[in-house]
Amino acid sequence: MSLLSVVEQHVRVAVARVLDVDAALVDPMVRRSDYGDLQVNGALALAKRLGRDPREAAAAVAELLEQEGLIEASEVSGPGFVNLTVSGNALWQRLAVLAGDPRLGVPADGGGTAVVDYSQPNVAKSMHVGHLRSTVIGDALVRCLEFTGSTVVRRNHVGDWGTQFGMLLELMLEQPERWSLSADESGSQAIARLNVLYRDARARFTTDPAFADRARTRVVALQAGDPATLAAWVDIVGESKIYFQEVYERLGVLLTDADVVGESFYNPYLHDLAEDLRRRGIAVQSDGALCVFFDDICGPDGDPVPLIVRKSDGGFGYAATDLAAIRDRVERLGATRLMYVVDSRQALHFRMVIDTARRAGYLPDHVTAEHVSFGSVLRADGRPFKTRDGDTFRLIELLDEAVDRARVTVRAKNPGLDGDALTERAREVAIGGVKYADLSTSRTRDYLFDLDRMLSLQGNTGVYLQYAHARINSILAKAPAPDGVTDTVEWEPAERALVLKLDGFAEAVAAVVAGSEPHRLCGYLYDLAQTYSAFHENCPVIKAPTAEVRSNRVVLCQVTGATLRLGLGLLGIASPEQL
């Protein structure tokens, strides 16, 4: 339990005594503050409601808290705020607790089953920079949810079904030599071939009516399970999965082949789902399509904008698939929280899908569903991230460039590193820098993909945090083993600031889980690294004035290093022992 939580309990009891009310009715409203270690706001509102003078009540609460030994000093300010300074003894004791806790104060009380839907690449296509945010944000959320006690089901809802496969399969079957892979061609090489085939198939579909007709017939054959068509489709999906895994391993994310559940998985359930919605009057026929309408969703012309469950040609789109996925995740997987890590442009779609699922009872009240939306990745100059010919940059190419750049940074810091060791360290720094730049930005905002900034040792970057961790390891390698924490040693201001910052780690992790906001943890880790830097400058460790002071400072280094390591790990970022 953090110091803040402990103080909150003491404040609740003190306020209850001063105002003569049941402690269960008291909301202490204790928060970290620049005016003291902590600030109490709760006495103000409650005292007003009870007709008591807020400042008098606050002063009485402060006096009680000082008598208990946990609080060293208190000050009433404003209309009834109480600024608290925690006792030095309590701070040293808190450090000792953190030093013996591998979880660093983070409880594992999450509970429930969260299904996290993220990454979502398309079969037969290269993953591009647009897939980066969903993959990285989703991975960080999965790690934090699992660490805090939730059961997590990862879902990679890949696009592996639909009319586009009719075009691709038709060309492949008409020109089989173009899809004849050699023994050493797989994954990336196979996808490169498929990209060319898909481009040519689309061109023919738009210019050759006869081919377009054959492509449409091929879609019907795929849906009907025609052996030759299905075999070619299975081959495409298999090679795509190999490629996806190459990218995920390069990024160091948790997704595996077992997490891939494509749109095709839900195809057998779509007809019954549509009929269920139609029979119950939730979906109605409109211009030949089966649609769900909403009272508060209209287009610029004022006409209602529908969610199309079944198209006029009888085909099904994303809406039907997403509704079927909700039913499966709630009924079969037992989900209590559904999370869709998808870019903000899909906000209206998910609003309509979730609303429809609620109306249909597919999404019960005890299950939360949230669109974890995010902004775009832009070039360093702020323009859309496109190649010269208008295509989106392929993700692997960007990651390779990042590793090449990081190799220069690592070699400058550690000239003796070479060979495989240099390559691995460059990969850790590069991937960490790319991930951190994404995660440290509030996910609803766009951000600039600027490798120079991402790989800088200055400022709020992943490399800065990795270097802070490595610097702590260097000190610990030279320091004698500590003899524990002595709680009678006087605090230096930089020591107080550091232990108070360490005490906030659990709150930062909780904020990520509650709001699906990894940048909260990034901000905390950056603040921690800066706080440690001030401690390092002002409080010698190896040359501390006494053995007791040195031991306490070594423990402070150990806990700070462990916090950086665990925090970076929850973000999916490596923490090398040295740079």
Side-chain angles (χ1 to χ4, degrees), residues 246-441:
E246 288 179 10
V247 177
Y248 296 143
E249 289 176 4
R250 189 85 61 97
L251 273 172
V253 298
L254 298 175
L255 282 170
T256 68
D257 187 60
D259 302 318
V260 175
V261 181
E263 295 170 354
S264 59
F265 175 83
Y266 305 102
N267 195 59
Y269 311 107
L270 301 185
H271 176 76
D272 288 345
L273 179 142
E275 287 305 303
D276 179 59
L277 294 174
R278 183 196 60 78
R279 185 174 59 254
R280 296 163 59 195
I282 296 169
V284 296
Q285 293 293 137
S286 178
D287 295 330
L290 187 64
C291 305
V292 179
F293 289 93
F294 309 85
D295 293 337
D296 57 346
I297 301 178
C298 297
D301 55 4
D303 291 337
V305 175
L307 180 72
I308 302 175
V309 177
R310 184 171 58 211
K311 294 181 284 187
S312 58
D313 63 3
F316 295 97
Y318 299 130
T321 303
D322 285 338
L323 287 167
I326 287 175
R327 294 183 79 176
D328 177 69
R329 294 166 184 182
V330 171
E331 295 173 7
R332 185 172 65 87
L333 300 179
T336 54
R337 184 177 184 181
L338 301 179
M339 304 169 71
Y340 297 90
V341 188
V342 183
D343 76 77
S344 57
R345 292 172 296 181
Q346 300 300 316
L348 180 60
H349 169 79
F350 280 105
R351 178 185 169 191
M352 292 193 292
V353 166
I354 291 169
D355 185 273
T356 300
R358 291 280 186 209
R359 287 158 64 180
Y362 305 157
L363 199 53
D365 291 340
H366 73 277
V367 180
T368 63
E370 56 194 292
H371 175 204
V372 184
S373 63
F374 53 83
S376 299
V377 183
L378 304 175
R379 295 166 63 106
D381 58 10
R383 292 183 296 160
F385 218 116
K386 301 286 186 180
T387 62
R388 190 173 300 173
D389 58 5
D391 292 334
T392 305
F393 274 97
R394 293 176 184 173
L395 185 52
I396 279 187
E397 293 173 358
L398 290 172
L399 298 180
D400 286 344
E401 183 181 355
V403 172
D404 289 341
R405 297 258 198 114
R407 188 175 282 106
V408 176
T409 300
V410 172
R411 186 179 283 121
K413 294 300 298 181
N414 194 343
L417 208 60
D418 57 15
D420 292 342
L422 174 60
T423 298
E424 177 59 19
R425 191 63 45 76
R427 188 198 65 80
E428 291 175 332
V429 168
I431 301 304
V434 169
K435 284 185 174 181
Y436 188 84
D438 191 312
L439 296 171
S440 61
T441 303

Side-chain angles (χ1 to χ4, degrees), residues 397-559:
E397 293 173 358
L398 290 172
L399 298 180
D400 286 344
E401 183 181 355
V403 172
D404 289 341
R405 297 258 198 114
R407 188 175 282 106
V408 176
T409 300
V410 172
R411 186 179 283 121
K413 294 300 298 181
N414 194 343
L417 208 60
D418 57 15
D420 292 342
L422 174 60
T423 298
E424 177 59 19
R425 191 63 45 76
R427 188 198 65 80
E428 291 175 332
V429 168
I431 301 304
V434 169
K435 284 185 174 181
Y436 188 84
D438 191 312
L439 296 171
S440 61
T441 303
S442 175
R443 60 175 169 77
T444 58
R445 294 172 49 200
D446 298 342
Y447 84 96
L448 305 181
F449 194 96
D450 182 351
L451 286 176
D452 289 336
R453 184 181 64 83
M454 291 176 178
L455 301 178
S456 173
L457 282 163
Q458 307 298 322
N460 187 9
T461 67
V463 189
Y464 174 78
L465 295 182
Q466 289 174 323
Y467 181 63
H469 175 263
R471 185 168 61 168
I472 291 171
N473 284 338
S474 176
I475 292 172
L476 292 175
K478 301 171 187 174
D483 294 324
V485 175
T486 302
D487 62 12
T488 56
V489 172
E490 289 294 320
W491 281 93
E492 292 292 334
E495 293 172 321
R496 284 189 66 88
L498 184 54
V499 77
L500 285 166
K501 182 60 65 176
L502 290 167
D503 185 58
F505 179 60
E507 294 165 49
V509 176
V512 175
V513 172
S516 303
E517 295 179 323
H519 77 278
R520 302 291 184 188
L521 180 54
C522 294
Y524 167 82
L525 294 175
Y526 179 60
D527 288 346
L528 174 62
Q530 289 192 305
T531 305
Y532 175 81
S533 182
F535 160 80
H536 181 264
E537 291 175 8
N538 293 282
C539 302
V541 177
I542 307 298
K543 297 182 179 180
T546 68
E548 290 81 5
V549 171
R550 182 175 60 240
S551 181
N552 282 11
R553 289 178 181 175
V554 169
V555 174
L556 267 170
C557 290
Q558 288 177 333
V559 177

